[in-house]
Amino acid sequence: MSKGSVAVASEIKDILNKLARNQIDVDQAAELLSQKTVSDLDFSKVDLERQKRTGYPEVIYGEGKTVDQIVAIMSALHTNHQNIWRPGFHLSRLQEFKRRCPTSPITRPPAV
């Protein structure tokens, strides 16, 4: 288990323990648990469990997003050990992403 997974597992146990001790109610626990699977970046909500849940990685739709916003999304996914599918990014943008996030696995989705 990775360090990130251990930290998340520990946080989940803390939430469940608080629920068991009646320190929080079910609705509060659900809200706290949902925060562990979604990264809210203000301009985008990134699904951190999509690949585990569906078998397909998160897709970044870059239209209308700045390079900084896409790099932030990629960083959230990369930090949580997620693969990244990117639809047809312009080559200059893709080169910039690779320069700024050289270890992020970026792949093009298979043709359907």
Side-chain angles (χ1 to χ4, degrees), residues 73-85:
I73 294 168
M74 290 172 56
S75 295
L77 291 167
H78 184 66
T79 299
N80 287 279
H81 311 287
Q82 299 295 308
N83 290 321
I84 304 163
W85 274 1

Side-chain angles (χ1 to χ4, degrees), residues 16-89:
L16 294 174
N17 283 328
K18 286 179 181 179
L19 179 62
R21 291 190 302 264
N22 293 320
Q23 294 173 331
I24 58 175
D25 64 28
V26 171
D27 290 333
Q28 291 170 313
E31 174 64 24
L32 291 169
L33 289 170
S34 72
Q35 292 172 5
K36 304 302 173 206
T37 63
V38 174
S39 179
D40 188 348
L41 301 176
D42 292 327
F43 55 87
S44 179
K45 292 190 185 322
V46 182
D47 185 347
L48 302 175
E49 296 289 321
R50 179 184 180 90
Q51 188 165 355
K52 188 184 296 182
R53 194 178 62 255
T54 68
Y56 297 101
E58 182 73 296
V59 175
I60 300 174
Y61 180 70
E63 188 70 30
K65 291 184 178 71
T66 67
V67 170
D68 288 338
Q69 289 173 328
I70 294 173
V71 168
I73 294 168
M74 290 172 56
S75 295
L77 291 167
H78 184 66
T79 299
N80 287 279
H81 311 287
Q82 299 295 308
N83 290 321
I84 304 163
W85 274 1
R86 54 113 187 141
F89 287 159

Side-chain angles (χ1 to χ4, degrees), residues 90-110:
H90 188 273
L91 181 60
S92 63
R93 291 181 103 190
L94 185 57
Q95 289 169 337
E96 176 66 12
F97 306 143
K98 288 185 176 188
R99 184 185 70 74
R100 291 172 66 175
C101 297
T103 60
S104 289
I106 307 168
T107 57
R108 188 169 181 98

